[in-house]
Amino acid sequence: MQHDLTRRGFLALSAATLSVSVSPSPAAAAPDASWFARPRRSARPMVRWWWPDAHVDPAEIRREIDQLAAAGFGGAEIAAVHHSIRDKSVLDPAGHGWGTPAWNTAVEAALDQAARRGLTIDLTIGPSWPAAVPTITPDSEAAVKELAHGSVTVAGGTTYAGEVPPPAVPGHPVRKLLLVQAARIEPAHSTRDETGLDPASVVEVAVDGGDVDWTAPAGGEWVLIAYWERGSGQRPESGPHTAPESYVVDHFSRAGTRAVLDYWESALLTPAIRRLLRKAGGALFEDSIEIETGALPWTPGLLAEFEQRRGYDLVPFLPVIVLKDEDQVFAFEAALTRHARKDYWDTVSELFNENHFAMLRDWAHSIGLELRAQPYGLRADAIASAAILDVAEGESLGFKNLDDYRCLAGGRDLAGRKVLSCEAGAYQGGAYTTTWKKLLRTMGGAYAAGLNQTVLHGFSYATAPGMPSWPGFAAFTPYNGTAGYAESWGPRQPTWRHMPDISAYLARVHHVMREGAPRADVAVLRQTGYTKTGLGAGWFTGSGVPLGWTHQFVSGPLLDLPAARVARGRLAPDGPAYKALFVEGDKFYAGECTMTVKVAERLLEYAGAGLPIVLLGDWRAASVPGVARSGENERLRLLIADLLARPTVRMVTSQAEIPTALDALGVRPDVRYATASTLLTARRVAGEVDYYYLCNGKHVENPKPPIAPIDHEVTLARTARDGVPYLLDPWTGRVQRAALYAEDGDRIRLRVRLRPGESMVVAIGRPGLFGTGTVKGPHAVTTDADLVRYDKGALVVRATRAGTYTTTLSDGRTVTSVIGPVPEPVVLSSWRLEVEDWRPEGTATHRLALDQLSPWSAIPDLTDVSGIGVYTTDVRLEGGAYLELGEVTDTCRVLADGRRLDPVNQLNPVVDLGRGVRTLRVEVATPLGNRLRVADPAVYGGLTRQAYGLLGPVRLVPYGEARVGAATPRDQPAQR
């Protein structure tokens, strides 16, 4: 039966480390006041820490660890990356390369200082990427291989006598002939880019001493095809990093992975490093699997592995498998071609996951590390990879939309893993111009898709040979002579002064998104588990998410994991607890309705246990994904016929029918909106506490039309019948019990107002959580005031205009509150500005008096200035007021009468000033781009000048308050 070995193998790979997913986690302790304000250190963000190989000073390494700790980071990933260094002669790989004694000394310093400061250090698997070692050559058994083909056309009835056709793609000169075949050209099977062949005509041709003497049968044209196995000679990016130079290993064989482990054991794991890894080691990291070849990715022994796993010989199908410059060359009949290719890439995927990721993971555990990796770049089942890895990672640069993250989240959650990481903020051409607002808007929606670890791209070591001293070495800029990839964060950036505010925000989001168990409404079953493709889930992505639905992707191998069982009508009840399973045609193989017999049997079992299942398409004529064995399709169709007869199963023919089918099966989302919205949500459940992350986010990087502010009601499911909502502010760490909401059975309804990219957290649990005390009496259900809050246990309404305000309470009563005179809002246009101007030679100071706010680029003395500006103005504020900052570039802090206020929400910079303020100071920090335009015009002169500073309009908006007087709470601290 097709794929049985694959699934048993996957289960064996995973079972040893997935026992956590079999049983529910113990009830979570009740969160106190500090739980959210000061999240655990492991939830803090990380950085990519780029070193110019070993051209580093241990003392500077220790200083940079201190800088990261002071800025609120929890860890760093050391990577040998120096794409910006064009003159490679300065690198000295023999004395200062990756893996040299100098490298190990620096790693020891980093680990030791990290242990002192409470940080963790991740180590990349090799220099740059992909995984490579200096102990192999392209001809080594452990080196990456490719299958190249050469061909010649032979007219029917004529003879070809000559040398075996050489590879069509030039490459490494040492090669081994695998075999030669001939096939008749069949124009009916040709496509625009592929030459059609008759599969029944494929024959093997004898070779004599490197020559072929073969006569084509009469009639038509034939093609003679030679297959050459050779090393690709691929080297890691932007080398050399070692002497001798490193070559990429075979990622599909144990020999390739063993070469990596042997090098680590012999050259990298000094006694001190082994000891320090137990104190400060985090994970072994592997970047995206970018195996570059103009031919077909290959490994010795693949033919035997294919036959064992797929149950038939690959050789007759090789013509439709080979590639030239990533394009297919030949084709059989369309369906047969698809199925053969599917079998080939499934085999490659299995070999990769078994011989590379699983082997690396087990070894990493033996030295006290986890394995974190980006499981894409190959045509491999990344969803299954995410279940094998300790930490799967995506990226904001290459991922096309949120569904790419949801693929990895499905693997993580069915396997019982906790963390989904992201390489965050790599923008092409964004060096020294990337703003935190841009990065936060990019990442906001990704957290709703399941992310809970941010690895900033990145933090560069201070200096490097041949690089300017200011602003210092940056791994990815210059890039091809111009501004490169964002960003080299760190003390070189003015915004670093405000980094603790941002890192604390990220840590709180991570903290909530790791608490308890995840929840998702629907599992979308993928026959092909690729990610980084942008291919979504049809109705769920386009229409369901805007109405509150959540989904994740799973692939066939995951259904044999211990957690993938059905109880109480839920799939993986102790994990994501999917309410339904959705299956459509394979989007990567012409949308064909395919399914393995094993998966069909599993779905039949799920349906019998009460899981709702919706199938899109005509599944009555389904086939297995690969080349079918005798009777296999017939067996599959019988199983599907049985499946379709079950009461919890619906088959629909169009996307528009999906919501009707779900409704008929009684499936409802955890979150509901009355109308379509850009609000994105994620739910986690810890004991009887529900946590909702809400973000007005974007599905793609540049949505059209752009995301707009939202203001609407949201209905949230709750686990505890008596649960009450709490509002958790990820910027300040403050928690307050919500005073305005409605209850509807097991759901809570409240209003959400968010600007583009802005997020909030709502928790629902028993009264008195987070140190808020208890409240006796009703809460507010509706009001025409601006807001309702608790102050020392009493209900208070607030408004920016005087008037009588009506509030409906949860006990059915309607009460009025009178707010007396409130001053009119005031636009603050007169400021004293002091700018700390960052220059190559040091800093300079500019002092100006402004009667209106303008971008620095419009102020003659500040046209190309980057740095930190402090805006000061005097006010007379007796009552309470908001300070609305308007537009600010980039980060900011606010001080009132010399007292620093809570961190500013950088995406919605409105601050509650409280009462009695006389002097306001707004501190604004900018990127470095404007200064670099003139300081290094050869590289950065083409940058567009950015509008820096406090741009406003800045408004002081007074408000008044009045007690509702209906509730009699106690022990409730005052909140603002």
Side-chain angles (χ1 to χ4, degrees):
M1 191 69 70
Q2 190 178 19
H3 299 316
D4 281 3
L5 176 66
T6 303
R7 298 171 62 76
R8 289 197 302 270
F10 181 79
L11 185 57
L13 283 178
S14 308
T17 54
L18 300 183
S19 59
V20 67
S21 63
V22 176
S23 58
S25 57
D32 59 16
S34 66
W35 178 88
F36 186 63
R38 295 183 292 278
R40 54 184 177 268
R41 191 177 297 271
S42 62
R44 295 178 182 177
M46 297 177 59
V47 295
R48 292 257 197 283
W49 191 9
W50 297 309
W51 292 8
D53 293 341
H55 290 279
V56 294
D57 176 9
E60 174 62 23
I61 289 295
R62 291 180 183 274
R63 277 193 294 273
E64 294 185 6
I65 288 285
D66 289 344
Q67 291 164 358
L68 290 168
F73 286 90
E77 166 210 309
I78 298 173
V81 179
H82 43 63
H83 285 57
S84 58
I85 299 177
R86 309 312 299 172
D87 180 6
K88 302 300 183 184
S89 66
V90 305
L91 291 174
D92 180 28
H96 293 84
W98 177 78
T100 59
W103 174 270
N104 291 337
T105 297
V107 171
E108 289 173 10
L111 285 166
D112 181 67
Q113 192 67 10
R116 296 171 188 268
R117 296 304 304 268
L119 273 67
T120 58
I121 295 294
D122 290 7
L123 301 172
T124 53
I125 192 172
S128 198
W129 68 91
V133 290
T135 52
I136 62 175
T137 71
D139 303 318
S140 300
E141 177 192 11
V144 62
K145 298 294 189 296
E146 63 187 10
L147 188 69
H149 84 284
S151 64
V152 61
T153 301
V154 182
T158 66
T159 299
Y160 175 85
E163 68 174 1
V164 173
V169 177
H172 187 61
V174 178
R175 60 188 188 236
K176 171 188 172 184
L177 182 65
L178 191 65
L179 75 153
V180 177
Q181 291 176 327
R184 185 175 63 81
I185 294 175
E186 175 51 75
H189 298 335
S190 294
T191 68
R192 184 177 62 181
D193 301 314
E194 302 165 344
T195 300
L197 302 177
D198 175 8
S201 71
V202 177
V203 295
E204 190 164 343
V205 175
V207 178
D208 184 7
D211 291 325
V212 172
D213 188 342
W214 179 76
T215 300
E221 283 190 307
W222 291 70
V223 63
L224 202 62
I225 310 171
Y227 304 93
W228 299 93
E229 186 180 278
R230 66 189 183 193
S232 74
Q234 184 180 357
R235 292 169 288 187
E237 287 263 343
S238 193
H241 299 272
T242 58
E245 193 161 2
S246 294
Y247 286 93
V248 174
V249 301
D250 182 353
H251 285 57
F252 312 135
S253 73
R254 294 184 68 82
T257 306
R258 174 49 58 191
V260 173
L261 307 188
D262 288 348
Y263 188 73
W264 273 78
E265 294 281 359
S266 64
L268 291 162
L269 293 179
T270 67
I273 288 177
R274 286 181 183 272
R275 173 177 52 81
L276 289 165
L277 285 176
R278 298 287 178 178
K279 294 183 177 181
L284 187 70
F285 173 69
E286 183 165 16
D287 214 315
S288 52
I289 315 300
E290 298 174 20
I291 303 300
E292 296 177 353
T293 172
L296 181 72
W298 192 254
T299 186
L302 192 146
L303 290 177
E305 288 282 0
F306 184 95
E307 186 163 7
Q308 181 184 10
R309 294 163 186 269
R310 306 275 87 85
Y312 67 94
D313 186 4
L314 176 63
V315 168
F317 296 89
L318 278 176
V320 301
I321 305 298
V322 292
L323 299 173
K324 179 183 177 184
D325 297 328
E326 300 185 354
D327 293 326
Q328 306 290 161
V329 183
F330 303 105
F332 297 153
E333 179 272 327
L336 180 61
T337 300
R338 284 197 305 272
H339 291 201
R341 291 172 181 168
K342 169 70 171 165
D343 276 342
Y344 175 80
W345 291 109
D346 280 355
T347 301
V348 168
S349 176
E350 292 160 17
L351 292 173
F352 170 65
N353 278 328
E354 293 171 20
N355 295 335
H356 192 69
F357 274 161
M359 192 171 170
L360 280 176
R361 179 202 61 201
D362 293 346
W363 177 80
H365 291 178
S366 75
I367 60 170
L369 298 177
E370 293 186 322
L371 179 62
R372 175 170 60 89
Q374 296 178 345
Y376 47 85
L378 286 171
R379 299 187 198 180
D381 188 345
I383 299 174
S385 298
I388 295 169
L389 298 167
D390 296 303
V391 178
E393 180 168 289
E395 60 177 83
S396 64
L397 175 66
F399 275 24
K400 296 174 176 59
N401 58 43
L402 299 186
D403 280 324
D404 286 342
Y405 295 109
R406 293 182 181 115
C407 289
L408 300 182
R412 175 199 63 181
D413 290 343
L414 265 183
R417 309 294 187 192
K418 292 297 182 185
V419 177
L420 177 58
S421 183
C422 181
E423 173 188 316
Y427 301 103
Q428 185 175 6
Y432 295 115
T433 59
T434 296
T435 65
W436 275 104
K437 291 177 180 62
K438 178 174 182 175
L439 195 150
L440 292 169
R441 285 175 181 141
T442 292
M443 298 306 300
Y447 301 125
L451 283 184
N452 53 15
Q453 176 169 284
T454 305
V455 183
L456 284 183
H457 184 284
F459 184 99
S460 292
Y461 180 79
T463 62
M467 298 295 288
S469 60
W470 191 88
F473 165 67
F476 290 100
T477 189
Y479 198 89
N480 294 329
T482 189
Y485 287 85
E487 182 67 89
S488 281
W489 303 108
R492 72 184 68 193
Q493 298 270 10
T495 55
W496 193 254
R497 182 173 297 184
H498 302 153
M499 193 64 232
D501 298 351
I502 296 169
S503 62
Y505 163 82
L506 295 173
R508 293 184 190 109
V509 171
H510 298 162
H511 186 53
V512 166
M513 289 298 294
R514 297 183 190 183
E515 187 69 5
R519 292 290 186 265
D521 296 322
V522 177
V524 178
L525 179 61
R526 279 266 163 94
Q527 300 89 337
T528 303
Y530 300 161
T531 191
K532 198 183 174 184
T533 66
L535 292 180
W539 180 86
F540 290 100
T541 298
S543 300
V545 169
L547 293 174
W549 288 88
T550 58
H551 65 276
Q552 293 181 339
F553 296 89
V554 301
S555 62
L558 269 61
L559 301 186
D560 272 347
L561 292 175
R565 61 185 180 86
V566 173
R568 304 182 299 279
R570 300 291 183 93
L571 173 58
D574 301 320
Y578 304 118
K579 302 173 185 178
L581 182 68
F582 174 72
V583 191
E584 60 185 332
D586 191 335
K587 291 198 169 186
F588 299 96
Y589 288 88
E592 187 177 4
C593 291
T594 60
M595 187 182 295
T596 67
V597 168
K598 185 71 174 179
V599 167
E601 291 172 339
R602 194 70 162 149
L603 265 56
L604 195 57
E605 176 188 329
Y606 289 164
L611 179 69
I613 299 174
V614 176
L615 299 102
L616 173 62
D618 187 0
W619 285 86
R620 294 165 299 185
S623 62
V624 295
V627 176
R629 306 278 63 79
S630 177
E632 197 171 14
N633 281 336
E634 290 74 15
R635 168 66 178 154
L636 173 68
R637 289 162 189 165
L638 287 173
L639 288 168
I640 289 179
D642 193 358
L643 182 68
L644 294 175
R646 300 301 173 101
T648 61
V649 178
R650 297 290 187 277
M651 186 174 74
V652 298
T653 59
S654 70
Q655 300 279 352
E657 298 175 65
I658 293 172
T660 302
L662 292 169
D663 188 66
L665 292 168
V667 180
R668 310 284 188 275
D670 285 341
V671 182
R672 300 179 191 174
Y673 327 139
T675 58
S677 170
T678 51
L679 183 63
L680 301 167
T681 70
R683 181 190 185 192
R684 298 188 71 90
V685 178
E688 290 198 333
V689 181
D690 300 283
Y691 295 93
Y692 286 94
Y693 170 80
L694 310 175
C695 177
N696 183 17
K698 51 189 178 180
H699 181 62
V700 296
E701 180 60 27
N702 296 302
K704 295 180 180 179
I707 302 297
I710 58 171
D711 181 355
H712 61 75
E713 289 190 332
V714 176
T715 302
L716 307 173
R718 57 180 173 179
T719 301
R721 186 79 177 187
D722 62 347
V724 298
Y726 300 83
L727 306 178
L728 286 66
D729 185 340
W731 284 103
T732 66
R734 295 183 182 275
V735 180
Q736 57 182 334
R737 179 165 162 181
L740 178 64
Y741 62 94
E743 296 179 285
D744 181 9
D746 61 354
R747 294 178 179 267
I748 292 284
R749 187 176 71 253
L750 46 76
R751 196 159 197 88
V752 170
R753 298 178 179 91
L754 294 171
R755 293 176 62 83
E758 189 182 4
S759 65
M760 64 182 292
V761 176
V762 176
I764 305 175
R766 64 170 175 79
L769 297 180
F770 307 104
T772 58
T774 58
V775 172
K776 290 184 177 180
H779 59 84
V781 176
T782 65
T783 186
D784 54 5
D786 294 346
L787 64 81
V788 185
R789 67 184 185 93
Y790 285 114
D791 182 18
K792 297 180 182 179
L795 279 175
V796 172
V797 293
R798 176 184 293 183
T800 58
R801 292 186 178 277
T804 300
Y805 293 93
T806 302
T807 301
T808 303
L809 303 177
S810 56
D811 61 6
R813 290 183 295 133
T814 298
V815 295
T816 58
S817 307
V818 177
I819 293 178
V822 179
E824 290 294 317
V826 178
V827 175
L828 303 178
S829 55
S830 297
W831 297 82
R832 301 181 295 279
L833 171 60
E834 182 173 308
V835 175
E836 184 181 283
D837 179 357
W838 290 31
R839 302 178 176 184
E841 65 272 19
T843 61
T845 301
H846 306 271
R847 294 183 177 88
L848 302 93
L850 305 177
D851 56 13
Q852 66 177 17
L853 291 173
S854 301
W856 294 3
S857 55
I859 300 173
D861 290 346
L862 306 180
T863 301
D864 287 305
V865 168
S866 295
I868 298 171
V870 178
Y871 294 76
T872 305
T873 193
D874 299 321
V875 298
R876 293 191 61 82
L877 179 63
E878 303 300 333
Y882 301 111
L883 179 66
E884 298 177 351
L885 294 179
E887 186 178 351
V888 187
T889 301
D890 178 30
T891 58
C892 62
R893 280 177 174 164
V894 176
L895 294 87
D897 295 331
R899 173 178 55 90
R900 184 190 295 179
L901 301 183
D902 283 342
V904 177
N905 178 343
Q906 301 295 327
L907 296 176
N908 187 11
V910 178
V911 179
D912 189 345
L913 295 175
R915 297 173 178 271
V917 176
R918 293 293 180 266
T919 302
L920 291 175
R921 293 176 61 198
V922 181
E923 183 180 83
V924 178
T926 78
L928 272 184
N930 283 5
R931 174 54 67 192
L932 283 168
R933 291 178 71 255
V934 293
D936 190 357
V939 176
Y940 301 103
L943 294 178
T944 299
R945 185 181 284 126
Q946 293 177 291
Y948 291 163
L950 179 60
L951 311 182
V954 178
R955 296 202 316 155
L956 195 65
V957 183
Y959 58 75
E961 293 190 324
R963 294 203 171 203
V964 174
T968 342
R970 56 187 175 83
D971 304 325
Q972 173 80 10
Q975 302 283 344
R976 268 207 297 271

